């Protein structure tokens, strides 16, 4: 085997046809316990592309972690050709504490590309960007909605990128949401390196939703099939519905504080004026309707039973792409 065909990663040498679990060690806890961030690598005997599959950049986003867990447990990560690298929980620190942030209080997804001598979060970002990401030809990064806000399954990409558009279509989530790369995010840093990334969002924090996890797992299978990497024993199915492409959207905010109940589920197509939900008070004295301000698709619903005036309660599309 030529030296080129050996993967040099995190101090290990992994040949074609080999499997390995390597550890992405960064720092110890204050108790001196080491924190292990497992990186699971599967290489086919046949050379081919390298796909990096990540989740848990935010420690509270368990739905994304569950998607990567299923990909590994079902053996979808054993490629017919090429290499698949899975990191199911990047922010193990946050995952232990059931916390979105890093123990240093930082949002890992706002410190990329990081620095060797920076904060703890920044060092993790730097190590990821220098020791793992450069091996990847494609990255699938799995996220979940924040707090009680339930995201419809969606792939987020920037506009006017032919490769990303094609891969997002292949993935086949109900929505493609065109959104700009946020400064200092993982997605933005990979974009700058010219490595395509599909960012998946689905569900809400501290919740595992089987519709969302199925969409994530099936989408991954479709992308691997498209790259001719999916193992022979797996079947791919076409998405049930055509993908809706959202290029602009707005949050509908609560006009009143109170108890909240949504009448529509995520992915519902609505008309201007349709009743989307109700805001009431505990004493039965008012019942305010929340109405759709325009025609569009509802792709995030706040599932919190108690809301305050100004809280974001529905995310609705305002502009679609054909
Ligand atoms: Zn996230």
């Amino acid at each position: 085997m030529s030296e080129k065909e050996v993967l040099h990663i995190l101090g290990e040498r992994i040949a074609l046809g080999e499997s390995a679990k390597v550890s992405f060690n960064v720092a110890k806890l204050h108790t001196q316990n080491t924190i292990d961030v497992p990186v699971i690598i599967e290489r086919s005997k046949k050379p081919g592309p390298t796909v990096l599959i990540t989740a848990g950049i935010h420690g509270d986003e368990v739905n994304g972690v569950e998607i990567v867990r299923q990909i590994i447990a079902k053996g979808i990560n054993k490629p017919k050709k090429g290499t698949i690298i899975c990191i199911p929980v990047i922010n193990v620190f946050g995952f232990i504490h059931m916390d979105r942030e890093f123990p240093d209080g930082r949002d890992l997804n706002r410190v990329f590309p990081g620095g060797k001598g920076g904060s703890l979060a920044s060092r993790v970002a730097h190590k990821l960007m220098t020791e793992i990401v450069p091996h990847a030809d494609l990255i699938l990064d799995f996220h979940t909605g924040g707090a009680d806000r339930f995201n419809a399954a969606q792939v987020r990409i920037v506009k006017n990128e032919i490769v990303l558009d094609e891969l997002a279509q292949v993935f086949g989530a109900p929505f493609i949401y065109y959104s700009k790369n946020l400064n200092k995010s993982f997605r933005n840093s990979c974009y700058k390196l010219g490595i395509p990334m599909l960012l998946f969002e689905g569900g809400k924090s501290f919740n595992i939703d089987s519709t969302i996890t199925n969409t994530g797992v099936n989408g991954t299978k479709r992308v691997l099939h498209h790259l001719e990497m999916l193992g022979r024993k797996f079947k791919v199915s076409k998405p049930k519905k055509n993908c809706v492409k959202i290029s602009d959207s707005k949050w509908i905010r609560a006009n009143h504080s109170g108890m909240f109940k949504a009448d529509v589920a995520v992915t519902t197509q609505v008309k201007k004026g349709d009743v989307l939900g109700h805001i009431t008070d505990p004493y039965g004295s008012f019942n305010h309707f929340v109405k759709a301000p325009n025609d569009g698709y509802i792709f995030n619903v706040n599932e919190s039973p108690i809301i305050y005036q100004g809280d974001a309660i529905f995310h609705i599309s305002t502009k679609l792409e054909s």
Side-chain angles (χ1 to χ4, degrees):
M1 193 174 293
S2 77
E3 195 56 16
K4 242 176 93 185
E5 287 168 350
V6 178
L7 174 68
H8 295 258
I9 190 164
L10 299 167
E12 305 280 335
R13 295 162 55 86
I14 303 154
L16 286 175
E18 285 184 353
S19 309
K21 191 163 140 188
V22 295
S23 190
F24 180 89
N25 284 328
V26 177
K28 287 181 178 177
L29 287 177
H30 54 290
T31 52
Q32 301 309 300
N33 294 71
T34 48
I35 285 281
D36 220 16
V37 179
V39 179
I40 295 147
I41 301 166
E42 292 286 350
R43 304 200 72 200
S44 167
K45 284 185 184 136
K46 212 171 148 191
T50 298
V51 177
L52 171 63
I53 302 176
T54 54
I57 271 199
H58 294 126
D60 59 349
E61 298 185 350
V62 287
N63 226 344
V65 176
E66 169 63 11
I67 292 170
V68 184
R69 185 200 71 79
Q70 286 190 25
I71 289 167
I72 298 165
K74 291 175 177 170
I76 297 165
N77 66 327
K78 292 186 168 66
K80 199 164 75 180
K81 72 173 185 190
T83 302
I84 299 179
I85 303 173
C86 291
I87 315 178
V89 194
I90 296 179
N91 181 4
V92 166
F93 295 97
F95 198 65
I96 291 169
H97 293 290
M98 295 182 74
D99 186 6
R100 181 179 178 81
E101 320 293 355
F102 241 58
D104 63 359
R106 286 178 174 83
D107 181 337
L108 179 57
N109 210 18
R110 298 290 179 276
V111 299
F112 277 86
K116 216 175 182 173
S119 66
L120 185 59
S122 170
R123 286 171 198 220
V124 169
H126 176 75
K127 192 163 175 173
L128 187 63
M129 289 309 295
T130 52
E131 297 194 30
I132 296 180
V133 166
H135 296 291
D137 298 299
L138 169 67
I139 301 169
L140 305 177
D141 187 30
F142 290 92
H143 287 255
T144 308
D148 279 317
R149 289 183 294 274
F150 192 104
N151 265 320
Q154 58 195 265
V155 170
R156 295 190 175 181
I157 54 172
V158 286
K159 237 182 185 173
N160 304 322
E161 288 286 343
I162 299 164
V163 174
L164 289 176
D165 249 316
E166 189 192 3
L167 289 167
Q169 288 269 19
V170 168
F171 193 99
F175 297 103
I176 292 175
Y177 181 51
Y178 293 106
S179 69
K180 288 196 182 108
N181 285 323
L182 288 174
N183 195 22
K184 295 194 162 191
S185 66
F186 184 31
R187 177 159 69 120
N188 195 33
S189 292
C190 295
Y191 184 79
K192 284 181 179 166
L193 289 182
I195 302 170
M197 175 196 282
L198 299 184
L199 188 152
F200 177 90
E201 277 276 355
K204 63 175 182 178
S205 299
F206 301 124
N207 183 266
I208 295 177
D209 180 275
S210 59
T211 308
I212 300 293
T213 54
N214 288 342
T215 307
V217 172
N218 287 332
T220 303
K221 278 162 63 182
R222 288 186 199 113
V223 169
L224 294 175
H225 177 72
H226 177 76
L227 300 172
E228 297 172 353
M229 293 172 72
L230 186 67
R232 281 179 192 86
K233 68 172 181 174
F234 296 104
K235 288 199 167 60
V236 283
S237 55
K238 281 209 165 121
K240 284 193 191 103
K241 280 186 188 165
N242 278 344
C243 177
V244 175
K245 299 175 178 178
I246 300 172
S247 56
D248 222 336
S249 63
K250 71 172 168 207
W251 280 97
I252 302 169
R253 291 183 181 276
N255 284 331
H256 310 272
S257 299
M259 292 157 71
F260 173 62
K261 198 173 168 297
D263 288 349
V264 295
V266 284
T267 75
T268 308
Q269 189 176 13
V270 298
K271 290 252 172 270
K272 184 178 176 177
D274 283 357
V275 174
L276 305 178
H278 301 263
I279 301 172
T280 56
D281 69 321
Y283 316 109
S285 60
F286 71 76
N287 184 358
H288 295 294
F289 293 161
V290 182
K291 291 182 178 172
N294 54 274
D295 295 1
Y297 285 88
I298 301 295
F299 64 109
N300 184 297
V301 173
N302 192 333
E303 294 188 345
S304 172
I306 309 286
I307 50 160
Y308 288 98
Q309 190 176 54
D311 279 358
I313 45 178
F314 295 102
H315 203 178
I316 187 169
S317 66
T318 52
K319 194 176 167 211
L320 303 177
E321 297 287 309
S322 51

